[in-house]
Amino acid sequence: MNKPRKTPKESTLHPQKRFRRKFFVRVATGVVLLAWASLYLPNLGTTPRWYGDETITLSCGQDLVHGVFANRATWNTYMNPQFCYQPGYVFLVGLASTVSHQNIAWPRFLNALCALGIALVALRVLGRRFGLLTALSIGLLFLVYEQSVIHFRWVYAHNAVALGLFICFCLQTIPTRRGRGWWAGTGLAIAAASHPLALQGGLAAFLNRWNQPRAWLPLFLPPLAVGLLSLSPIFLWKPDWLIHDIFELKEFYGSFTQDLGAGWQWPINFWNFFTHDWFHILALASALFCLFSRFRPIALASILVAALLTRNRQNLPVFYYQAVVILPLLAAGIGYAIVRLSKVLPWPKHISRWLAFVLPALLFCLVLPKVCTSSLISRNDPWVVHSINDIKETADWVNQHTQPEDLVICHWNIGWLLQSQNADPLMCVGWQGIPTFTYENGISRERFRYSADQKRAKFLVICDIDRIWTFGQPNVNQIFNDQSFLSWTPVYQNSNCLVLGRRIAP
């Protein structure tokens, strides 16, 4: 039987729909790009102020770019308590830092691109499944939430994990097809190339597909391949070190689980995390609501990974960067719930369409002035660099008065800018065979690239983080109360940094 011919009206209707959809997709993409550029690019190198986790990553990345597996004075397996960010992410930010001559804005720009990628994935994937209105509201809500703006301007492997997991779980909301399964696996691979927390995302991905064995190979082969590929050079180089560090890292976090998550403390941690501000209260309520919808894979992943995070972490509300891996999922749940509820409320349809953008618009107006005036303040502000200019000036002075073979003892906030050998006080304690934080089981001297003996140091640099944190760690004061240090005198000083050493000629 011949199919009925289309009427002229029908033949022009479908192209018009396609054109309208393309037009609105382009408009939505433009809105996302404008919001992202407004909030993530101004004052990128100085706002927020530097934090130790990003400066140590830059130091390790700069070495890795030159083919050296190192964490300043020690050899690095990228799977130890001192540093467990994965080589893929570390190499990229190290490359950005190296080619920009240690301009931190460029590594931060890579992390800001992760935020943009998340919003665009929402438009591309969730837009087709749940509608462009829902996807745009989700992307904007994520971009304008203040914690997103703060943390995706920092150099954190967690940001790349967030992007990878978001890709994976967005695709899991769509019925399984061969190509989509591999793209979901690619998302897990991005996470695996960045941080071991990808394992928690992998568990959530499995629970979303436990009854679909055909989905397992495309879902887990890419992250497994990436994980093996990134660590294989380390294994071929020093297999005993890598295996030892993997078990030590497991023991390190296991001790936190015993201390911080025993008994009823774990559910208390979970509850405190989701009730510490209005956004997370909404996120938990939305996730529970979404568990009974097509949004279930995202909701399940956000709840499960949050539960695993709070098992050994009580400080997530303050040191929020660890929870960034699920932040896009939480925002997605809130955005989806708002759109769904707005459609069932008894008001005109055109009002419900705009209701989804009230919250993103309000948050944008609140955070934009903070970005433009460099007044974004993180919750862990007491532990960030108090004066970036003081750090730079101190590093410049030290570089002018040292040779590459000289040893400078300093925190990594300064060490990543130095041209000489450097080690932090914790490494000096480890060199002496004494346990301290992240070196609870000690460290053998064969794991050192060069001597971290404080007695051969040319300078000791003391900055704000040392006064409030470093010298409070176990056995640090025992090392630096040595008589040889007590005889040193100040050779350089500014508002936040003090350099001690033997008196030198001006």
Side-chain angles (χ1 to χ4, degrees):
M1 180 181 295
N2 295 329
K3 294 182 179 179
R5 297 180 62 183
K6 294 182 179 179
T7 65
K9 185 176 180 180
E10 289 175 323
S11 64
T12 58
L13 180 62
H14 296 294
Q16 287 179 355
K17 281 188 174 181
R18 287 196 298 269
F19 175 81
R20 289 179 60 190
R21 175 169 177 78
K22 287 181 180 180
F23 173 76
F24 286 122
V25 167
R26 289 171 182 171
V27 170
T29 303
V31 171
V32 165
L33 286 170
L34 181 61
W36 172 78
S38 301
L39 298 180
Y40 289 80
L41 297 185
N43 308 313
L44 185 57
T46 56
T47 306
R49 291 171 293 174
W50 301 353
Y51 182 58
D53 280 46
E54 59 176 346
T55 54
I56 193 174
T57 305
L58 295 174
S59 178
C60 294
Q62 290 164 180
D63 282 328
L64 185 58
V65 167
H66 292 96
V68 181
F69 304 145
N71 179 4
R72 291 159 294 134
T74 61
W75 297 110
N76 198 358
T77 65
Y78 307 94
M79 286 295 289
N80 52 66
Q82 297 85 43
F83 188 83
C84 63
Y85 289 9
Q86 294 303 284
Y89 175 85
V90 175
F91 179 84
L92 289 178
V93 297
L95 181 63
S97 176
T98 301
V99 300
S100 64
H101 304 289
Q102 297 176 315
N103 183 347
I104 200 172
W106 287 99
R108 285 185 166 191
F109 177 70
L110 292 180
N111 287 263
L113 286 178
C114 291
L116 176 61
I118 288 168
L120 294 179
V121 167
L123 288 183
R124 176 73 175 176
V125 180
L126 299 182
R128 291 190 173 186
R129 176 64 168 164
F130 302 100
L132 189 59
L133 175 70
T134 302
L136 180 59
S137 66
I138 287 172
L140 291 177
L141 180 59
F142 163 73
L143 285 177
V144 302
Y145 178 50
E146 185 169 331
Q147 295 306 313
S148 300
V149 179
I150 289 173
H151 288 85
F152 282 83
R153 284 168 155 260
W154 264 329
V155 180
Y156 282 126
H158 306 76
N159 297 334
V161 176
L163 172 61
L165 296 188
F166 192 69
I167 292 172
C168 175
F169 296 121
C170 283
L171 287 164
Q172 287 194 328
T173 63
I174 303 174
T176 304
R177 290 181 184 175
R178 184 176 300 175
R180 291 170 183 167
W182 287 106
W183 278 111
T186 300
L188 285 182
I190 294 172
S194 307
H195 198 283
L197 284 175
L199 292 171
Q200 298 183 355
L203 176 59
F206 172 75
L207 291 180
N208 283 329
R209 291 289 186 262
W210 68 270
N211 60 345
Q212 301 177 35
R214 288 185 178 181
W216 297 350
L217 180 64
L219 185 59
F220 295 113
L221 182 59
L224 181 61
V226 166
L228 293 176
L229 182 63
S230 62
L231 293 178
S232 58
I234 313 296
F235 183 79
L236 294 174
W237 172 51
K238 291 290 185 180
D240 52 334
W241 288 2
L242 178 60
I243 294 172
H244 171 272
D245 284 1
I246 290 174
F247 281 100
E248 189 164 86
L249 185 65
K250 181 178 180 295
E251 180 183 344
F252 178 75
Y253 282 104
S255 65
F256 283 109
T257 299
Q258 293 178 355
D259 295 339
L260 305 177
W264 286 101
Q265 190 59 51
W266 183 3
I268 292 174
N269 295 344
F270 181 86
W271 176 255
N272 289 340
F273 171 70
F274 273 111
T275 57
H276 77 266
D277 70 4
W278 64 267
F279 181 91
H280 290 79
I281 294 173
L282 276 180
L284 180 58
S286 300
L288 295 175
F289 170 79
C290 293
L291 280 176
F292 305 96
S293 70
R294 295 177 297 169
F295 225 68
R296 179 178 175 275
I298 289 178
L300 176 64
S302 62
I303 293 175
L304 177 61
V305 176
L308 295 174
L309 287 172
T310 53
R311 185 167 178 247
N312 51 27
R313 295 170 177 86
Q314 291 181 342
N315 60 356
L316 288 181
V318 177
F319 297 93
Y320 190 81
Y321 65 90
Q322 304 166 95
V324 161
V325 296
I326 59 171
L327 180 54
L329 305 177
L330 300 178
I334 295 174
Y336 177 77
I338 290 176
V339 172
R340 283 288 303 273
L341 291 175
S342 68
K343 290 180 178 179
V344 300
L345 293 176
W347 47 35
K349 188 175 181 180
H350 67 278
I351 295 180
S352 65
R353 287 178 177 176
W354 290 105
L355 182 66
F357 299 100
V358 171
L359 182 58
L362 176 62
L363 294 179
F364 178 83
C365 293
L366 291 175
V367 75
L368 181 61
K370 297 180 181 180
V371 172
C372 295
T373 58
S374 295
S375 56
L376 276 175
I377 304 298
S378 62
R379 293 168 177 169
N380 60 339
D381 185 67
W383 293 272
V384 305
V385 169
H386 290 174
S387 172
I388 294 174
N389 286 333
D390 284 353
I391 292 289
K392 289 182 176 180
E393 291 173 1
T394 303
D396 288 341
W397 186 91
V398 172
N399 284 332
Q400 293 170 11
H401 294 85
T402 54
Q403 299 298 320
E405 65 274 9
D406 292 331
L407 175 66
V408 177
I409 300 176
C410 61
H411 191 271
W412 46 88
N413 281 343
I414 289 181
W416 78 282
L417 295 170
L418 300 186
Q419 300 168 4
S420 61
Q421 296 179 359
N422 65 91
D424 61 76
L426 301 179
M427 286 181 172
C428 297
V429 175
W431 173 264
Q432 298 297 334
I434 303 173
T436 188
F437 179 67
T438 71
Y439 298 96
E440 283 81 2
N441 297 323
I443 180 172
S444 63
R445 288 196 173 177
E446 68 172 347
R447 298 291 298 269
F448 282 83
R449 295 171 61 203
Y450 47 79
S451 168
D453 190 343
Q454 74 274 13
K455 294 181 181 178
R456 85 171 184 91
K458 185 171 185 178
F459 297 122
L460 168 64
V461 182
I462 301 173
C463 56
D464 39 32
I465 188 64
D466 298 309
R467 299 183 182 96
I468 66 172
W469 184 80
T470 308
F471 290 117
Q473 300 310 305
N475 297 315
V476 172
N477 280 329
Q478 176 182 336
I479 294 295
F480 291 93
N481 281 335
D482 187 271
Q483 187 63 35
S484 60
F485 268 108
L486 296 178
S487 64
W488 284 22
T489 58
V491 293
Y492 176 84
Q493 186 172 7
N494 56 34
S495 299
N496 288 280
C497 300
L498 170 67
V499 182
L500 299 175
R502 299 174 183 87
R503 190 176 298 278
I504 61 175

